[in-house]
Amino acid sequence: TVKTSLEVERIRMDFPILNREIHPGFPLVYLDSTATTQKPNQVIQAMDDYYRFSNSNVHRGVHTLAEEATTAFEASRQRVADLINSPSPRDIIFTRNTTESINLIASSWGRTFLQEDDLVILTEMEHHSNLVPWQILSAEKGIRLEFIPVTPDGFLDLEAYRKLLENTPRLVAFTHMSNVLGTINPAKEIIRMAHNSGAITLVDGAQSVPHFPVDVKDLDADFLAFSAHKMCGPTGIGVLYGKAELLNAMPPFLGGGEMIKRVLLRSFIPNEVPHKFEAGTPAIAESVGLSAAITYLSSIEMERVAAHEKEIISYALERLEEVPGVCVLGPDAQYKGGVAAFTLDGVHPHDVAQVLDQYGIAVRAGHHCAMPLHDKYNIPATTRASFYLYNTMQEVDRMIDGLYTVKKYFG
């Protein structure tokens, strides 16, 4: 049995920013972890130590610092492989973020293997980073894009997906968990159905890998993308996992140092995977930070992180229901992660967020890089509260009190 409740008070002590008062008398209530998470001392310290004691470029030097930096960088790759149960660390490519990982697939795999009229299936709940790269490719190569519809209650319509698969798509790319609806999609089933129709799959794991256990072997995912900054790690480093045979068949994404075996004046021979896709000096300190973040989350256990979020979101949805005029998007707590995007009758989401900020409560307002999804629901924007391992029930209560203040303020 999973011990659900985390020792949140102990965990909170690891995050220095949570001691901040935003306005006099109002301690920070940080409810924007879906955008980026806060960083524990362990991550900050690991990066600081790297810069103080081992800073050097990787893979190129034979001196002690270069060897220490290279060891740390490649150890991070192994940590990532262990986290998602990748068959080999060589299947792990470091990028800048989830967005770059998806662009890498579109530019390298897509440009090489997709032709005019080939079908790519996406969903209506995608983040812009899993829409725009395919739109660019569609404009360039004439590939067709079709979308799995979202039902009014925030699920993917798998019946419609089944019909789309009859058109033999080449690729199915979808989010594991919606950053607006919170819906956790049945990734394993979506992938199995795609494979049965001969398509390969790309999973946007930006919102899943930080929040619950993700196993690429179990899912049988062909590609998986995620970011360090959404899982207690630093900004500036992301991950692309790919099956070895796909990565080996793909041409380099960027040209320059590090991604080559041999260079002549008029030609070059690319390096082995993963280095083939890591041109130039990589985010070395950030890889150290990512490694420390994975160590931190693993010590707490991803199952317990997920269970804690489930408790928090269940409570938050209950409390939000009490507030007259609040409408929450997406399914019930049992089907979603720690995300509550909502509207409040008669008040613009930006006004909601601004008033809450006066009381130290940080939420996000806008379309959350998912404009087509908001169009689907005929709303321009939502206010989004998102929760993580350091959030408490009391913080939910403070948000609810804040919403009553908003209502009073706007009459």
Side-chain angles (χ1 to χ4, degrees):
T1 57
V2 173
K3 263 170 68 188
T4 53
S5 300
L6 298 174
E7 296 161 62
V8 180
E9 288 314 319
R10 189 186 58 73
I11 287 170
R12 288 175 66 85
M13 289 163 66
D14 293 331
F15 291 82
I17 205 167
L18 299 181
N19 296 319
R20 259 197 84 170
E21 279 196 358
I22 294 302
H23 300 289
F26 295 109
L28 170 65
V29 173
Y30 186 75
L31 304 179
D32 195 19
S33 291
T34 293
T36 197
T37 57
Q38 295 304 342
K39 321 304 175 200
N41 284 317
Q42 290 86 333
V43 169
I44 297 165
Q45 188 65 52
M47 294 175 72
D48 188 60
D49 285 349
Y50 164 77
Y51 276 131
R52 284 175 188 275
F53 305 117
S54 300
N55 178 50
S56 174
N57 218 322
V58 291
H59 299 141
R60 296 178 196 142
V62 291
H63 56 78
T64 301
L65 295 185
E67 286 182 353
E68 286 175 2
T70 300
T71 300
F73 183 68
E74 291 304 334
S76 177
R77 200 188 301 279
Q78 182 66 59
R79 286 236 67 128
V80 172
D82 293 342
L83 176 73
I84 60 171
N85 197 25
S86 165
S88 161
R90 285 192 299 278
D91 305 336
I92 303 298
I93 293 155
F94 286 130
T95 60
R96 279 187 313 150
N97 42 43
T98 308
T99 303
E100 186 171 287
S101 296
I102 295 170
N103 275 275
L104 193 163
I105 300 301
S107 297
S108 177
W109 183 86
R111 281 211 176 90
T112 308
F113 295 106
L114 293 178
Q115 277 136 27
E116 195 172 350
D117 286 334
D118 278 351
L119 175 62
V120 170
I121 294 178
L122 306 165
T123 85
E124 290 182 339
M125 64 168 71
E126 293 313 305
H127 187 282
H128 296 162
S129 62
N130 200 25
L131 288 173
V132 178
W134 305 109
Q135 292 169 352
I136 291 170
L137 200 61
S138 175
E140 189 185 305
K141 297 201 70 161
I143 61 169
R144 289 181 302 135
L145 305 178
E146 291 293 344
F147 300 87
I148 307 171
V150 175
T151 64
D153 50 359
F155 294 101
L156 290 179
D157 183 340
L158 293 185
E159 213 26 70
Y161 174 46
R162 199 167 274 113
K163 289 205 172 66
L164 285 174
L165 288 173
E166 290 168 12
N167 304 314
T168 57
R170 297 291 310 280
L171 174 75
V172 177
F174 66 96
T175 184
H176 201 166
M177 175 180 140
S178 167
N179 71 318
V180 176
L181 305 170
T183 311
I184 298 172
N185 290 318
K188 199 171 172 176
E189 188 184 350
I190 292 169
I191 290 167
R192 183 184 54 76
M193 291 165 71
H195 286 164
N196 287 344
S197 77
I200 71 157
T201 55
L202 162 61
V203 183
D204 173 353
Q207 301 300 341
S208 59
V209 175
H211 297 282
F212 51 85
V214 174
D215 180 329
V216 291
K217 270 193 219 163
D218 180 58
L219 290 176
D220 198 20
D222 299 296
F223 295 113
L224 169 77
F226 60 99
S227 295
H229 75 96
K230 293 185 192 290
M231 50 189 290
C232 297
T235 54
I237 187 166
V239 172
L240 174 65
Y241 158 81
K243 283 185 178 169
E245 64 273 20
L246 290 166
L247 294 176
N248 287 323
M250 287 158 53
F253 171 48
L254 298 171
E258 192 69 13
M259 48 67 65
I260 41 77
K261 252 208 184 106
R262 176 138 171 70
V263 178
L264 304 165
L265 278 179
R266 296 181 192 279
S267 64
F268 73 95
I269 297 164
N271 209 334
E272 308 287 314
V273 171
H275 309 298
K276 172 166 84 172
F277 296 108
E278 295 178 353
T281 296
I284 307 166
E286 289 77 6
S287 79
V288 170
L290 170 56
S291 188
I294 294 172
T295 302
Y296 183 79
L297 289 171
S298 302
S299 73
I300 292 167
E301 294 169 19
M302 291 310 301
E303 289 88 351
R304 294 180 66 195
V305 172
H308 173 69
E309 278 187 42
K310 200 62 90 186
E311 288 178 357
I312 287 256
I313 192 65
S314 303
Y315 182 64
L317 294 181
E318 256 169 55
R319 294 289 335 256
L320 282 164
E321 226 164 83
E322 296 168 19
V323 183
V326 162
C327 174
V328 181
L329 270 66
D332 296 340
Q334 70 203 85
Y335 303 109
K336 75 193 287 173
V339 177
F342 60 90
T343 54
L344 177 59
D345 279 353
V347 189
H348 193 282
H350 285 109
D351 292 332
V352 175
Q354 214 151 13
V355 174
L356 289 179
D357 181 62
Q358 297 307 303
Y359 298 91
I361 301 159
V363 295
R364 182 52 76 89
H367 53 68
H368 319 296
C369 298
M371 279 189 189
L373 181 64
H374 282 76
D375 290 345
K376 169 95 180 178
Y377 287 103
N378 287 319
I379 45 177
T382 49
T383 304
R384 182 184 70 191
S386 53
F387 307 96
Y388 204 31
L389 72 170
Y390 38 62
N391 290 121
T392 65
M393 303 299 180
Q394 291 84 340
E395 290 182 315
V396 174
D397 294 337
R398 275 190 57 195
M399 175 181 75
I400 299 301
D401 294 345
L403 287 176
Y404 280 110
T405 307
V406 172
K407 284 175 70 65
K408 242 190 268 166
Y409 191 80
F410 287 95

